[in-house]
Amino acid sequence: MIVIKYLYIGIDDTDSPDGMCTTYLASQIINKFNDNGIELVDYPRLIRLNPFARFKTRGNGGVSLKILNNDKAGLARQIVLEEVEKLSMFDCDNTNPGVIFYDGEITEKMENYAFRAIYEFITIEEAEEFGKSVGCEIHKFKKGRGIIGSIAAISLPLSDYTYELLAYRSAENYGTKRRIDYESVYLMDKKTFPDTFENIDYSENYIAIEPKTPCPVLYGIRSNNVEALKEAKEIVEVGEPIVDWCIFKTNQHTDMHIQKAESISEMEQFGCYEVVGEVKNKPRIIDGGHMFFFISDKSGEIECGAYEPTKNFRKTVSHLRPGDIIRVFGGIGEQNTFNIEKFQVIKLNDVEYKNPICECGKSMTSAGKNKGFKCKRCGNRVKSDKKVPIKITRSLKNSEFYETPVSARRHLSKPLCRMDL
Ligand code: ATP
């Protein structure tokens, strides 16, 4: 039996807020691979890790490549290290590249490590020890923090995945306004959604495919399949050169960061969860426009937040009322509040207790403590002090999901248009 052997390559932490992008570096490596007859097995992968990781530049993403482990593997390693040396933003204190080469099978232990890199914090020392224990060849540049993400990027199994097409700018245009014809982006969205998604935030008229940083990316289009990406690329018109483009397979928009919590008390700070709870109080808005309310279950309670950047989502949240049972998805951040990414209504509380209505049609008022109610118009009285349940109409719907707008969404958050895939 012929056993095919592969070489896995992981790269992370090469960029800085001032420029570069690890995906661009990967695309340059792939070009050099092509020039040298080194073929990739499957698409390059862009793997998003713990959204709360402290040293991330933007979205905490690492990249991995898979090639045949044949007589060209040595050359491939050389190309990777040379490109990382050449293109990484070494001047930035927070840029600490890490490269991993691994020529074995991806084991369960490695998969578990990758999930830990999504759910928890891992130190450089821990990653190095782990990498060595499974036989990774480790290359650290400066502090080498990137090895944490690199090992995870090669190891993560993708039971669910999406694709992203990234188009890159010419170097002389870095940092200048991107020349993208917005009308064509609207057209592209109209023609390719929901195969492509997260293109535009209609509520804010915000073009989400356009990055806001001085990086080499001109635009990034996200999709469930490659065909739609190629169609979308044909539709989007730009007024500047695209020097290169590359499609990545990714865990973006899969909810892979979300763990199911059986109770509120088991959730920990800097973890991302889905949990069911009862709304305790009417959502209130504070200075700065952030909206908060508590949910509770038998084990405890937690404050949930819909922050100002979630814009109109706060209006939806404001329709929640005490007694509603909801399933919230999100993460517990810096302030120890549960930052909501989306929620599902499990059961609305559609009953309100009101003063009884008199025969004459007027609402009765209290006749005093323990004295029941009386009608001010016709003098009728009822003895009972109990308010009566009235069914009310709610604008929210049972079973329905409600999500933050595209402009405020995390890379890993699964949008509703993908929920039943
Ligand atoms: P970009 O999205 O532009 O690629 P980024 O946000 O991915 O930038 P990086 O430059 O990759 O930022 O930096 C993130 C750093 O965090 C990397 O060094 C990575 O190894 C590390 N890291 C990733 N996951 C974890 C984790 N779970 N715990 C601690 N560190 C992590």
Side-chain angles (χ1 to χ4, degrees), residues 12-15 22 48-50 53 55-61 116-117 120-122 145-149:
D12 197 4
D13 210 344
T14 64
D15 52 10
T22 306
R48 300 288 179 180
L49 301 164
N50 190 336
F55 295 100
K56 65 184 183 175
T57 310
R58 288 178 289 270
N60 196 13
R116 275 195 57 217
E120 298 167 24
F121 297 121
I122 296 175
R145 182 173 292 110
I147 65 167
I148 305 169

Side-chain angles (χ1 to χ4, degrees), residues 280-292:
K280 282 198 73 178
N281 62 303
K282 188 139 188 56
R284 66 192 167 86
I285 203 151
I286 62 159
D287 283 352
H290 310 307
M291 180 170 273
F292 296 101

